[in-house]
């Protein structure tokens, strides 16, 4: 490997589906950086050793995806954000120290800022569907913007309760089948579950009761327009899609590794969109 090339990778298991190489290599080209962003398929058993040897392997940093985000945090020095969320998706070196952060938080917020400016002004109540790692990042982000009440609904109620235990009483766990009755009081509805993803059933939820000023966000980006976002569009509601969050969450990693803050442009979005709709070989 040439020493003048700055290499970064995304580590996952599996990792073929990751669009991060597309995004980062687009920015590397745009900024004429001597860099390369690769995929590394690493099993859970091999992951700790791989991370310990990251610099030896010639990497200046990495993204971490499923199923490694929780373990990544324990192998590095997390920032406050990764610690609060309990998961890290971005690794970088500060001197010899391997640091980690969670860029889903700002990815979610920056996407809403771009797609629905002013979304958080006077926002009293939000509903978050799901209680996994993505939900933790989003709840943390919403609290940081001063949202007063965040109702978390999850198929497995105890996981919703554990978000309240982690983040405090502004988080209210609610039963999965109560959500329909709570829509009228919500200024923001966020889906963090896998429902609506290609190959999965759609969410069973009608949105008519949401206030006309409400914003609907989905973290699913395949399909680009989930059934939830389609219904929100038909009702004339403002929306923030999963692809936008994916693009925005990549910004900080790039700037940590390469020292340039890249932009989420329509051109970048169009390039990733084209890849998402491309038929995949079996
Ligand atoms: P991530 O880290 O991406 O958030 P995760 O931790 O696997 O992923 O969380 C997936 C979320 O989708 C969970 O909230 C999960 O609900 P459970 O906690 O009950 O498993 C939710 N989810 C997945 N499939 C679902 C389904 N068919 N119906 C309802 N919720 C579902």
């Amino acid at each position: 490997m040439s020493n003048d090339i700055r290499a970064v990778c995304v580590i996952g298991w599996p990792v073929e589906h990751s669009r991060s190489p597309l995004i980062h290599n687009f920015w590397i080209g745009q900024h004429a950086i001597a860099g390369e962003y690769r995929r590394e398929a690493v099993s859970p058993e091999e992951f700790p050793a791989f991370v310990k040897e990251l610099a030896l392997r010639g990497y200046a940093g990495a993204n971490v995806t499923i199923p490694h985000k929780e373990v990544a945090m324990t192998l590095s020095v997390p920032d406050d954000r990764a610690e609060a969320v309990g998961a890290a998706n971005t690794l970088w070196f500060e001197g010899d120290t391997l640091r980690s952060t969670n860029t889903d938080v700002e990815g979610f917020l920056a996407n809403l800022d771009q797609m629905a400016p002013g979304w958080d002004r006077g926002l009293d109540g939000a509903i978050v569907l799901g209680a996994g790692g993505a939900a933790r990042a989003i709840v943390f982000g919403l609290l940081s913007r001063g949202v007063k009440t965040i109702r978390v609904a999850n198929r497995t109620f105890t996981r919703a309760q554990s978000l309240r235990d982690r983040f405090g009483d502004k988080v209210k766990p609610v039963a999965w089948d109560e959500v329909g009755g709570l829509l009228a009081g919500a200024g923001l509805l966020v889906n963090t579950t896998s429902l609506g993803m290609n190959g999965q059933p759609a969410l069973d939820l009608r949105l008519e009761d949401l206030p006309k000023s409400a914003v609907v966000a989905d973290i699913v980006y395949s399909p680009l327009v989930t059934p939830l976002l389609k219904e929100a569009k038909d009702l004339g509601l403002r929306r923030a899609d999963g692809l936008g969050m994916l693009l925005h969450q990549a910004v900080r990693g790039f700037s940590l590794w390469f020292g340039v803050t890249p932009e989420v442009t329509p051109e970048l979005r169009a390039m990733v969109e084209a890849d998402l709709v491309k038929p995949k070989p079996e």
Side-chain angles (χ1 to χ4, degrees):
M1 184 186 312
S2 158
N3 283 336
D4 11 338
I5 298 269
R6 184 163 265 257
V8 179
C9 62
V10 53
I11 313 169
W13 186 257
V15 78
E16 291 72 38
H17 67 280
S18 172
R19 262 64 182 203
S20 292
L22 262 186
I23 299 168
H24 290 288
N25 285 320
F26 175 91
W27 283 331
I28 284 171
Q30 190 179 43
H31 293 280
I33 288 168
E36 195 183 347
Y37 188 103
R38 311 189 192 116
R39 286 188 176 85
E40 293 277 8
V42 179
S43 70
E45 295 73 39
E46 294 169 298
F47 182 70
F50 190 96
V51 169
K52 285 193 187 98
E53 291 168 3
L54 201 61
L56 265 179
R57 288 172 183 271
Y59 285 120
N63 279 130
V64 175
T65 186
I66 289 169
H68 302 312
K69 290 187 185 184
E70 275 87 9
V71 178
M73 214 187 70
T74 67
L75 299 169
S76 56
V77 181
D79 68 1
D80 292 352
R81 183 170 293 193
E83 187 125 58
V85 173
N89 68 351
T90 301
L91 302 173
W92 82 101
F93 287 98
E94 243 173 44
D96 290 337
T97 305
L98 184 63
R99 300 292 321 272
S100 61
T101 187
N102 187 313
T103 63
D104 284 338
V105 177
E106 69 227 61
F108 174 74
L109 296 174
N111 186 38
L112 274 173
D113 288 340
Q114 190 174 59
M115 301 250 199
W119 63 274
D120 55 344
R121 221 171 288 137
L123 178 60
D124 285 335
I127 298 177
V128 173
L129 306 175
R136 295 201 302 272
I138 286 166
V139 166
F140 178 79
L142 292 177
L143 290 170
S144 77
R145 289 294 185 92
V147 179
K148 294 196 182 67
T149 304
I150 304 167
R151 298 188 199 280
V152 175
N154 196 48
R155 176 178 61 179
T156 311
F157 185 67
T158 50
R159 290 188 87 195
Q161 288 175 311
S162 60
L163 259 82
R164 192 242 344 260
D165 298 344
R166 177 179 281 270
F167 293 114
D169 286 343
K170 289 183 178 160
V171 176
K172 316 269 184 218
V174 297
W176 187 244
D177 55 12
E178 270 180 68
V179 172
L182 297 167
L183 292 177
L188 174 69
L189 173 70
V190 189
N191 175 46
T192 77
T193 74
S194 47
L195 294 172
M197 197 182 277
N198 284 329
Q200 299 279 328
L203 265 169
D204 184 18
L205 192 63
R206 301 280 69 80
L207 303 182
E208 290 93 1
D209 289 343
L210 277 173
K212 283 287 160 220
S213 57
V215 177
V216 176
D218 204 332
I219 72 160
V220 172
Y221 58 81
S222 183
L224 282 167
V225 183
T226 59
L228 180 75
L229 291 174
K230 165 83 171 60
E231 192 187 349
K233 181 172 189 225
D234 292 345
L235 289 167
L237 302 173
R238 293 196 296 167
R239 303 162 310 280
D241 69 7
L243 177 57
M245 176 170 166
L246 179 74
L247 300 175
H248 281 283
Q249 69 74 33
V251 169
R252 178 131 191 271
F254 193 91
S255 100
L256 287 166
W257 306 317
F258 299 114
V260 176
T261 302
E263 267 185 78
V264 174
T265 56
E267 194 191 359
L268 170 68
R269 202 185 143 94
M271 196 263 307
V272 182
E273 271 190 24
D275 186 73
L276 283 169
V277 298
K278 203 166 67 184
K280 291 279 164 289
E282 289 301 314

